Amino acid sequence: MTDPITGLPVVGIVGGGQLARMTQQAAIALGVRLRVLADTAHDSAALVTPFTSVGSHRSYEDLAAFAAGCDVLTFDHEHVPLEHLLRLVAAGVVVRPGPNALPFVQDKIRMRERLGALGVPVPAWTVVGQPADLTTFGAEHGWPVVVKTATGGYDGKGVWFPASAEEATTLLARIAAGGKVYVEERVDFQRELSALVARSATGEMRVWPVVETVQTNGVCTEVLAPAPGLDARLAAEAQTIANSVAEDLDVVGVMAVELFEVGGRLLVNELAMRPHNSGHWTIEGARTSQFEQHLRAVLGWPLGETSLAGRATAMANVLGGSGPDADNLACRLPQVLALDPGAHVHLYGKGVRAGRKIGHICVVGDDIAANRRRARTAADLLQGETQ
Ligand code: ADP
């Protein structure tokens, strides 16, 4: 299991997306051998990881065979069935974060229940069993409401904003077959924030500065680090929430807490137990990136410093464009490099599909507004939105 060349432990990551790919960059620096269990040999991380196994995260046999070559198993998504995780642990596999923590990100209803039990402020919500539950909730909290599926949602998929009882009833008839559903108040937030924390298997914890995230149609498009003008009391509160949730749920690895800032207080929207889009800025903008920190944490190693590396960092996601020339990266990438030699370009080796996250841009500098403009301009150019 141990890397026969270096003697260092081997980390296995289930899922071959861009999070695993960027974890590989951090693993290279630490000299750690990373293995990846990917759906296909051309997944984003499979392309850059020699120790890739192709297999399904839904197959216990594939997971067990993969785990046999690793000292510790971790994830780039939360979709491994819980019964498989429990079986792996029973078979002696070290799984981090473990099956005691992961159910709270696999099922948003369980997450809401657990956060409520911990006394963490969340939007008003209730489980929807029948259409009347929706109409009663809407009458009480006002329309529109927010309807969410408990499982399987991401990037705004599985989130709807019905504006009336009729719309909600039609929506429910359409989606109810897809699994459990809940409804929550639509929060009229000033902005969205994210508090990123890492907890090592030793129990050591470190938080990064709280960031502002910008969502467009449910997809994260920009991150500003640190969150401009954030009240110090709210920043501390967000970090306290992240620390206490990480501790209470016995999280090992990186966890993101997504928050709404509303009227001088915070509400938690959701959790992610893995490196997160709101932490990509840490590669250049913090002393330790979330990817390196995740490795340190799951290995039970001391954590790195999380302070800012520059005054401020802006990140803009590069989404696949939809124009006729959308996949012409060969032409656009050199243009971006020429336009802004100080911008950090990350592309994930993914094919272009409209709306798909294919990369991100980071700009570090003194002025957050200028960084944001530069990151946006470069991302737009890569997406084919301006010339
Ligand atoms: P996903 O798992 O798809 O990221 P989220 O629950 O984070 O789903 O919702 C996606 C986005 O939808 C959020 O980032 C936010 O912009 C918006 N949203 C979600 N819940 C609410 C809410 N209760 N009130 C207002 N906006 C919301």
Side-chain angles (χ1 to χ4, degrees):
M1 256 198 288
T2 303
D3 180 341
I5 300 170
T6 61
L8 291 172
V10 175
V11 177
I13 187 160
V14 178
Q18 62 263 25
L19 301 176
R21 181 183 174 104
M22 289 184 268
T23 305
Q24 166 69 334
Q25 285 179 301
I28 291 169
L30 285 175
V32 167
R33 182 180 297 192
L34 189 75
R35 300 193 62 215
V36 168
L37 179 64
D39 287 337
T40 75
H42 37 86
D43 283 7
S44 180
L47 295 171
V48 298
T49 313
F51 304 101
T52 292
S53 303
V54 174
S56 170
H57 61 272
R58 305 206 155 272
S59 152
Y60 178 76
E61 289 64 38
D62 288 359
L63 287 164
F66 177 67
C70 311
D71 292 279
V72 52
L73 208 62
T74 189
F75 310 94
D76 103 330
H77 58 67
E78 41 267 323
H79 306 311
V80 177
L82 184 58
E83 66 266 25
H84 294 350
L85 297 173
L86 291 166
R87 224 173 128 188
L88 288 167
V89 170
V93 176
V94 179
V95 177
R96 291 176 175 159
N100 49 342
L102 280 165
F104 301 107
V105 286
Q106 293 184 323
D107 181 327
K108 288 184 178 180
I109 291 178
R110 287 191 75 172
M111 180 194 297
R112 280 269 180 276
E113 284 169 349
R114 184 61 185 253
L115 289 172
L118 293 174
V120 172
V122 296
W125 71 284
T126 191
V127 174
V128 175
Q130 51 196 356
D133 297 335
L134 263 180
T135 42
T136 309
F137 187 91
E140 195 179 328
H141 294 276
W143 300 95
V145 295
V146 187
V147 174
K148 297 186 179 181
T149 52
T151 57
Y154 68 99
D155 283 352
K157 295 175 182 64
V159 178
W160 298 270
F161 297 81
S164 65
E166 298 72 50
E167 245 183 82
T169 310
T170 313
L171 172 74
L172 195 61
R174 186 159 60 80
I175 63 174
K180 286 183 296 175
V181 170
Y182 69 105
V183 58
E184 61 188 32
E185 63 175 313
R186 198 200 59 151
V187 178
D188 196 11
F189 53 76
Q190 274 87 53
R191 59 175 165 176
E192 294 184 72
L193 302 171
S194 174
L196 198 69
V197 60
R199 183 166 177 271
S200 175
T202 59
E204 182 191 0
M205 291 196 289
R206 287 196 187 238
V207 284
W208 283 267
V210 176
V211 300
E212 175 175 342
T213 67
V214 180
Q215 264 63 230
T216 312
N217 300 323
V219 181
C220 174
T221 43
E222 290 174 0
V223 173
L224 308 176
L230 180 63
D231 185 82
R233 179 187 57 83
L234 281 186
E237 190 183 320
Q239 292 178 322
T240 303
I241 291 173
N243 275 329
S244 62
V245 172
E247 198 150 48
D248 279 318
L249 299 186
D250 192 22
V251 174
V252 176
V254 166
M255 180 180 71
V257 181
E258 297 177 27
L259 305 127
F260 299 133
E261 181 183 356
V262 49
R265 53 193 200 106
L266 299 174
L267 295 174
V268 171
N269 175 32
E270 68 168 344
L271 311 175
M273 275 178 213
R274 48 172 170 73
H276 188 249
N277 202 163
S278 66
H280 291 356
W281 70 274
T282 58
I283 297 177
E284 289 92 9
R287 304 227 179 268
T288 307
S289 83
Q290 62 167 348
F291 301 102
E292 175 173 338
Q293 200 81 305
H294 189 72
L295 287 169
R296 291 182 184 222
V298 301
L299 286 164
W301 288 350
L303 299 179
E305 245 196 78
T306 47
S307 53
L308 298 172
R311 281 271 286 279
T313 301
M315 192 251 12
N317 275 339
V318 180
L319 305 180
S322 54
D325 196 30
D327 59 357
N328 196 353
L329 289 176
C331 163
R332 291 207 186 91
L333 179 54
Q335 289 176 358
V336 169
L337 301 179
L339 175 82
D340 193 340
H344 300 278
V345 178
H346 297 256
L347 286 172
Y348 307 148
K350 289 161 79 169
V352 173
R353 277 206 310 264
R356 185 186 203 196
K357 288 178 188 170
I358 59 165
H360 73 265
I361 309 280
C362 255
V363 175
V364 185
D366 288 344
D367 176 1
I368 189 64
N371 299 347
R372 183 179 187 179
R373 269 195 305 278
R374 285 170 56 193
R376 184 73 271 146
T377 303
D380 282 349
L381 184 52
L382 263 181
Q383 289 172 187
E385 279 161 33
T386 49
Q387 290 295 322

